[in-house]
Amino acid sequence: MSEHDLVLVVDFGAQYAQLIARRVREAQVYSEIVPHTITAAEIKARNPKAVILSGGPASVYADGAPQIDPDFFKLDIPTFGICYGFQVMAASLGGAVAKTGLSEFGRTPLKVSHPHSELFKNLNSQLNVWMSHGDSVSKAPEDFVTTASTDGAAVAAFENLDRKLAGVQFHPEVMHSESGQRVLENFLWNIAKCNRTWTTENVVEDQVTRIKAQIGENKVICGLSGGVDSAVAAALVHKAVGDQLTCVFVDHGLLREGEREQVEHDYVAATGIRLVVVDAKEKFLSELAGISDPETKRKTIGRLFIRVFEEAERALVAESKGDSPIKFLVQGTLYPDVVESGGGSGAAVIKSHHNVGGLPEDLQFDLVEPLRELFKDEVRAVGADLGLPTAMVMRHPFPGPGLGIRIVGAIDEERLSILRAADAIVREETAAAGVDGQIWQFPVVLLADVRSVGVQGDGRTYGHPIVLRPVSSEDAMTADWSRLDYELLAKISNRITNEVREVNRVVLDITSKPPGTIEWE
């Protein structure tokens, strides 16, 4: 993006590459992830203000270990190495990396040993940081100053301020590293001299300008799901081109309680967008009847959504009487989608996990992807800046196939009613407890084909179990179960078993991802 300074994060197979890129953006500097196979010439062509070399699982000296192009350090670009990237920098510039026999993992005390360190400027001389390494830098490159150490790493950080090069053995990007964000900001702001222009206001301004240039006077359509991504993408496009945009909302009957109303009333009231609502509940439920296999359910929902959307699109084209056909389709692609699909080079691909099962590639539209450079937290910030309802902006991710994949077993109206009621209680209680912000996603799952014996009142029952699956995550690539207060869990359980008569047991899923997934199906 020519309007902002660019920081390239070179990915050496890091678990935290996306997190590094997000932390750079939190420092108000634009960042992108590139593979370690990128050449020095390709980096130079991108004209970055700085480069960050990520961590990675390999040993620097192992056969086939990922390396940086040997000509990279001749470019004189400010560079920051993290963990494996720190070791790559050391080895490339004449330092030494060795197996010391003193691996460090987890929280580790760090001692800042140089009083004039720019990386650790205005920070405590003792910090608890997050380590994850077996090898260590045993010798810093010539003309580098060692600025910090730990018991297992004599060279835990170094700097060469003349060349604007620095690195650390620990992971400043993870929340467990004390003052880690400050370390990163000291590099970006003080060493690399990056300008802090990546703000929500600038993002909105930039995208509105781009969208206007792309769409011109043409008409544009958006499949609105009610989720954060499509809602913010549509709001941005509407801000740019107004009534040229029409949104289509397909009610497939697999929504949670109140979601259709939220889109029909709250969203339209906040944006003024023209919305076409298609009620396709009967079509979906009749075709899903008797299907228990999760993959078949997904494919059926996706296929039906495509057909319904196509019908709505044809109706809108007919309405225009051929005067101005719809040329553009808004897609809520996010930056992690781009990275995970190969970096986003070449033509855009409509991915199957967007909206409900995806849109077919044979739909003859040009894509408008205003969120393509943003992470989820940035999308939320843009949504808030555009005045979208808080309940929509802060909405937990919800799968396109909806409650259809939160019912383990076949789908019917009765089972959907049971799950809707239980889910509504969960959402009501977590909101009242003020814990929604601590949770990334909260699937409530009905085990429709499972029954267990229970006692309600004076009678024996044979009811369904409900599974609570609250998870916390940075980006959904990995996740852990959320440690919610026991009293809150007890209140949710009591309400569900008291108010949803078909349920007599509530269980908590405490599996991390991996090995489990966030959703059950």
Side-chain angles (χ1 to χ4, degrees):
M1 294 180 63
S2 58
E3 304 92 336
H4 306 281
D5 285 344
L6 168 66
V7 173
L8 293 180
V9 177
V10 178
D11 183 6
F12 289 103
Q15 180 184 357
Y16 300 124
Q18 288 194 27
L19 184 55
I20 295 170
R22 283 184 54 214
R23 297 294 187 237
V24 173
R25 295 183 185 198
E26 287 172 18
Q28 299 182 326
V29 183
Y30 180 67
S31 62
E32 289 185 9
I33 300 168
V34 294
H36 67 86
T37 51
I38 191 171
T39 65
E42 289 169 333
I43 291 175
K44 184 178 180 180
R46 298 293 306 276
N47 192 31
K49 186 78 171 182
V51 170
I52 295 178
L53 307 179
S54 84
S59 174
V60 172
Y61 297 132
D63 290 340
Q67 302 292 340
I68 193 75
D69 184 332
D71 291 331
F72 166 70
F73 286 104
K74 297 175 185 176
L75 299 177
D76 293 327
I77 298 171
T79 303
F80 184 51
I82 294 175
C83 194
Y84 182 85
F86 173 64
Q87 296 171 9
V88 166
M89 180 184 288
S92 300
L93 295 173
V97 179
K99 280 190 176 294
T100 62
L102 293 171
S103 301
E104 291 176 308
F105 298 97
R107 199 178 301 276
T108 305
L110 177 90
K111 182 179 180 182
V112 179
S113 54
H114 196 283
H116 303 296
S117 165
E118 199 64 47
L119 274 184
F120 299 102
K121 189 174 184 178
N122 298 325
L123 301 182
N124 294 334
S125 59
Q126 298 270 359
L127 299 170
N128 285 315
V129 298
W130 194 258
M131 288 283 198
S132 180
H133 69 100
D135 297 353
S136 293
V137 175
S138 55
K139 176 188 171 188
E142 191 175 347
D143 298 328
F144 277 68
V145 176
T146 298
T147 55
S149 62
T150 68
D151 289 344
V155 183
F158 57 44
E159 302 169 24
N160 182 328
L161 297 181
D162 290 336
R163 295 184 62 183
K164 299 184 177 180
L165 302 177
V168 295
Q169 182 60 67
F170 61 93
H171 287 276
E173 72 275 19
V174 303
M175 65 181 69
H176 309 292
S177 284
E178 183 183 351
S179 300
Q181 183 67 11
R182 289 286 304 281
V183 170
L184 191 57
E185 290 169 352
N186 281 341
F187 167 74
L188 294 168
W189 299 344
N190 301 338
I191 296 177
K193 306 295 184 186
C194 292
N195 291 307
R196 297 155 65 178
T197 62
W198 185 250
T199 63
T200 302
E201 295 78 8
N202 285 340
V203 169
V204 172
E205 253 178 57
D206 293 346
Q207 286 303 330
V208 166
T209 301
R210 288 184 182 193
I211 293 163
K212 283 180 178 176
Q214 181 184 4
I215 294 176
E217 300 299 318
N218 292 287
K219 291 189 175 181
V220 56
I221 190 172
C222 177
L224 198 63
S225 69
V228 180
D229 304 340
S230 66
V232 175
L236 265 174
V237 173
H238 185 257
K239 184 176 178 67
V241 299
D243 291 342
Q244 292 166 238
L245 170 69
T246 300
C247 287
V248 176
F249 178 75
V250 177
D251 183 353
H252 48 34
L254 307 172
L255 301 169
R256 296 181 295 186
E257 188 175 297
E259 288 188 311
R260 174 171 171 169
E261 293 76 15
Q262 183 186 65
V263 174
E264 279 190 291
H265 303 301
D266 299 350
Y267 185 70
V268 173
T271 61
I273 283 175
R274 184 195 175 197
L275 178 67
V276 174
V277 178
V278 181
D279 191 331
K281 293 193 287 287
E282 288 186 15
K283 181 189 289 283
F284 276 82
L285 291 183
S286 63
E287 293 219 25
L288 287 166
I291 298 175
S292 296
D293 178 70
E295 190 61 23
T296 306
K297 281 196 285 189
R298 282 181 179 273
K299 287 180 178 177
T300 301
I301 295 166
R303 173 177 54 79
L304 290 171
F305 180 84
I306 290 165
R307 300 287 81 88
V308 172
F309 189 86
E310 285 177 329
E311 289 170 14
E313 180 264 332
R314 284 194 292 269
L316 288 170
V317 170
E319 181 185 291
S320 71
K321 298 177 182 176
D323 180 46
S324 179
I326 299 170
K327 183 179 179 184
F328 291 98
L329 170 69
V330 179
Q331 185 80 357
T333 309
L334 303 193
Y335 188 59
D337 303 332
V338 176
V339 173
E340 290 157 24
S341 63
S345 59
V349 175
I350 299 174
K351 298 178 67 180
S352 64
H353 62 270
H354 285 308
N355 300 319
V356 183
L359 300 175
E361 292 189 43
D362 59 1
L363 281 179
Q364 298 303 305
F365 295 112
D366 292 335
L367 288 184
V368 179
E369 298 179 300
L371 310 181
R372 190 177 172 81
E373 294 162 342
L374 305 184
F375 286 100
K376 192 73 155 191
D377 49 346
E378 294 174 310
V379 172
R380 295 189 197 281
V382 167
D385 194 64
L386 290 168
L388 295 186
T390 301
M392 184 167 284
V393 170
M394 299 312 295
R395 179 182 189 260
H396 291 163
F398 186 59
L403 299 179
I405 59 166
R406 291 185 177 177
I407 294 174
V408 179
I411 302 165
D412 60 34
E413 191 57 67
E414 182 186 5
R415 290 174 170 185
L416 283 165
S417 296
I418 295 168
L419 182 52
R420 261 192 211 103
D423 179 87
I425 290 169
V426 170
R427 289 192 288 154
E428 185 179 319
E429 290 299 337
T430 54
V435 299
D436 279 351
Q438 303 168 26
I439 304 168
W440 171 270
Q441 201 163 336
F442 200 153
V444 179
V445 181
L446 172 65
L447 303 185
D449 290 340
V450 176
R451 288 181 180 269
S452 64
V453 174
V455 178
Q456 288 169 305
D458 293 325
R460 176 183 183 276
T461 62
Y462 197 49
H464 296 289
I466 283 284
V467 180
L468 306 181
R469 174 68 168 142
V471 297
S472 301
S473 178
E474 287 277 359
D475 52 18
M477 299 286 288
T478 60
D480 197 9
W481 63 282
S482 303
R483 271 62 166 179
L484 299 182
D485 180 76
Y486 287 163
E487 293 303 316
L488 173 60
L489 291 171
K491 188 174 184 181
I492 289 172
S493 176
N494 288 339
R495 280 199 61 191
I496 291 174
T497 52
N498 286 337
E499 297 175 33
V500 187
R501 62 179 181 78
E502 299 88 349
V503 175
N504 65 358
R505 195 175 297 268
V506 175
V507 299
L508 178 67
D509 182 347
I510 60 170
T511 314
S512 62
K513 175 189 178 183
T517 54
I518 292 177
E519 298 288 347
W520 271 50
E521 292 199 339

